[in-house]
Amino acid sequence: MLNTTIPVKMNYLIYLPEDYEQKDKWPLLLFLHGAGERGEDLDLVTVHGPPKLVKNGKQFPFIVVSPQCPKDQLWQPVELTALLNEIEKKYRVDQDRIYVSGLSMGGFGTWSLAAYTPYRFAALVPICGGGEKFWVKKVKHVPIWVFHGAKDTAVRLERSQTLVDELKKANADISFTVYPEASHDSWTETYNNPKVYEWLLQQKKKPESEVKAAEQKEEEDRKAKRAAAKKEK
C-alpha cells in the first residue's frame, strides 16, 4: 500500500471584487488558460480571458482565480483540486457557486476537472476544448455552456460536438454556441460577452445527495429494464 503526500506548487493570479469585505461569501470563477500561456511568467496568464479583462480594468461580481500551468505540462485535476481547497480556506468562497471555464488546453482541463470532482461545480464554460465521452455521464447534472469556432483547425469542432451530443442524449442542461467564421480563437468573443457572466451567476450547485439519489434511481431503472428484456427472451 502506498501512503504518501504529493507536493503541489502552483502560481496563480487572484481577483477580488471591490466590495469584497462587505459580503460573507462570493461566487468564484476558476479560469484555465491555454497551452501558449504555460511557464513561470504570470503575465502570460493575462493575455486572454478574464485575467486580461481584469488587467484592462474590468470589474467582476465574483472572485477570479487564474492559475498557471508549468511549461510542457497539462492541467492536472488533482492539482487544481488542491488549489481550490486552498482558495476556499483563504477566501470567502460561496461553495454553491463555483464555476470553471477555460480555453483550448484549458477547455480540456475544464471537462477533466469537472469529471474528477463532479459534485463541486455549479456551471462550466469550456471553450474550444474536448474530452472523453465517458466523462459526460459524470457531469450531466451540471449546467454547461460550450463554445467553439466552426473553422478551428487546432481543436476540431467535433471535439466539442461529440460531448455536446452525448449530453443532449442524457437530457442535460447544455447549450452550444458555434461561431461560424471563427477559427481557434473562439474565446475573445465569449469572454467579452456579458451574457456569459450573467448566465454563470444564475447557476447554483445542486445538492450532492439529490444528484446521487437521481443517479441511483437511473441505475435501478436501467437494471429493471435489462431484467425485463431478459424475461421477454
Side-chain angles (χ1 to χ4, degrees):
M1 182 180 80
L2 173 66
N3 184 1
T4 186
T5 299
I6 300 174
V8 176
K9 183 179 178 182
M10 186 180 296
N11 295 322
Y12 64 90
L13 299 172
I14 186 157
Y15 164 86
L16 302 177
E18 276 196 342
D19 53 346
Y20 173 77
E21 296 293 339
Q22 297 176 21
K23 291 186 181 180
D24 291 334
K25 55 184 181 178
W26 288 89
L28 181 146
L29 173 63
L30 175 66
F31 167 71
L32 305 179
H33 63 69
E37 292 75 64
R38 290 176 292 185
E40 296 182 357
D41 179 3
L42 270 173
D43 281 342
L44 291 172
V45 181
T46 66
V47 171
H48 301 299
K52 175 184 178 181
L53 297 174
V54 167
K55 189 176 183 179
N56 292 335
K58 183 173 177 61
Q59 296 180 18
F60 287 108
F62 41 73
I63 300 168
V64 182
V65 178
S66 307
Q68 186 171 38
C69 186
K71 186 179 179 182
D72 299 327
Q73 293 187 26
L74 301 175
W75 291 116
Q76 300 298 322
V78 67
E79 295 181 353
L80 293 171
T81 297
L83 172 64
L84 284 175
N85 291 344
E86 181 74 2
I87 296 297
E88 285 186 2
K89 290 177 186 175
K90 286 186 174 182
Y91 299 94
R92 302 177 181 184
V93 177
D94 183 347
Q95 295 183 2
D96 290 329
R97 293 198 291 169
I98 300 177
Y99 315 116
V100 189
S101 180
L103 60 92
S104 194
M105 184 186 83
F108 284 86
T110 299
W111 286 109
S112 64
L113 176 60
Y116 182 72
T117 50
Y119 307 110
R120 186 169 203 165
F121 304 113
L124 311 174
V125 179
I127 304 171
C128 59
E132 302 293 342
K133 286 171 70 172
F134 67 86
W135 291 349
V136 167
K137 182 181 178 182
K138 297 183 177 183
V139 300
K140 63 182 180 180
H141 61 281
V142 182
I144 306 173
W145 192 352
V146 183
F147 293 85
H148 217 116
K151 297 181 178 179
D152 193 337
T153 55
V155 179
R156 298 283 182 180
L157 176 63
E158 294 78 36
R159 298 306 301 270
S160 284
Q161 186 72 62
T162 298
L163 301 185
V164 169
D165 290 345
E166 288 295 309
L167 284 162
K168 286 181 176 178
K169 290 177 190 175
N171 297 314
D173 183 355
I174 178 75
S175 299
F176 189 26
T177 297
V178 177
Y179 301 113
E181 299 304 318
S183 54
H184 194 42
D185 182 4
S186 49
W187 54 81
T188 299
E189 187 170 351
T190 300
Y191 288 125
N192 283 341
N193 184 357
K195 291 182 179 178
V196 173
Y197 306 109
E198 291 170 10
W199 176 82
L200 278 175
L201 291 169
Q202 291 170 6
Q203 312 308 319
K204 196 170 183 179
K205 182 179 70 172
K206 296 180 178 69
E208 183 175 339
S209 58
E210 179 183 311
V211 175
K212 286 186 173 179
E215 290 172 344
Q216 185 176 348
K217 186 178 184 306
E218 283 184 15
E219 182 60 29
E220 289 171 354
D221 289 346
R222 279 195 293 269
K223 287 180 179 178
K225 285 182 181 178
R226 286 198 293 266
K230 283 183 180 179
K231 283 183 180 180
E232 288 180 5
K233 289 181 180 178

